[in-house]
């Protein structure tokens, strides 16, 4: 398991993306309720929507577009709980 189990979602306040960030945060907290130690919402500007696990960017809207929850869950899972199944929408964890 990776050392950092803190997730941060930085979202653009100018674009009014708080509801999207809060919804994604809820999805992650529900899925990883025992694995995460913290989940932070960080207000930003300039069209930012970035998800980090620790200091590592796992999703950046500018490069990857807006994420589907399943894609972010897989990226977070691969870093904080590699053996965890995500159910029917899961791809196998890397070995």
């Amino acid at each position: 398991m990776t050392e950092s189990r803190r997730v941060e979602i930085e979202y653009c306040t100018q674009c009014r993306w708080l509801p999207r960030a809060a919804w994604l945060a809820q999805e992650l907290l529900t899925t990883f309720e025992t694995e995460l130690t913290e989940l932070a919402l960080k207000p930003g500007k300039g069209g930012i929507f970035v998800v980090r696990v620790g200091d590592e960017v796992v999703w950046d809207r500018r490069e990857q577009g807006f994420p589907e929850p399943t894609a972010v869950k897989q990226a977070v899972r691969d870093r904080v709980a590699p053996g965890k199944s995500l159910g029917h929408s899961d791809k196998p964890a890397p070995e």
Side-chain angles (χ1 to χ4, degrees):
M1 186 177 301
T2 187
E3 198 170 291
S4 179
R5 297 184 305 151
R6 178 185 192 272
V7 172
E8 176 184 279
I9 302 171
E10 186 173 3
Y11 65 95
C12 179
T13 58
Q14 297 166 315
C15 303
R16 305 210 180 273
W17 287 340
L18 173 59
R20 185 184 298 254
W23 174 68
L24 184 57
Q26 178 182 331
E27 288 288 315
L28 292 172
L29 287 169
T30 301
T31 302
F32 301 104
E33 59 187 9
T34 60
E35 291 86 2
L36 296 182
T37 56
E38 181 180 0
L39 194 144
L41 295 176
K42 181 179 179 181
K45 296 184 187 275
I48 193 163
F49 196 92
V50 173
V51 180
R52 295 178 184 89
V53 176
D55 294 329
E56 181 185 0
V57 173
V58 298
W59 200 276
D60 186 337
R61 180 199 63 83
R62 289 192 177 125
E63 296 175 14
Q64 298 159 286
F66 274 112
E68 290 296 321
T70 300
V72 175
K73 287 179 186 182
Q74 289 168 347
V76 170
R77 182 272 315 273
D78 292 348
R79 286 149 184 90
V80 302
K84 183 177 181 77
S85 170
L86 297 178
H88 70 277
S89 60
D90 196 16
K91 68 175 184 180
E95 295 194 22

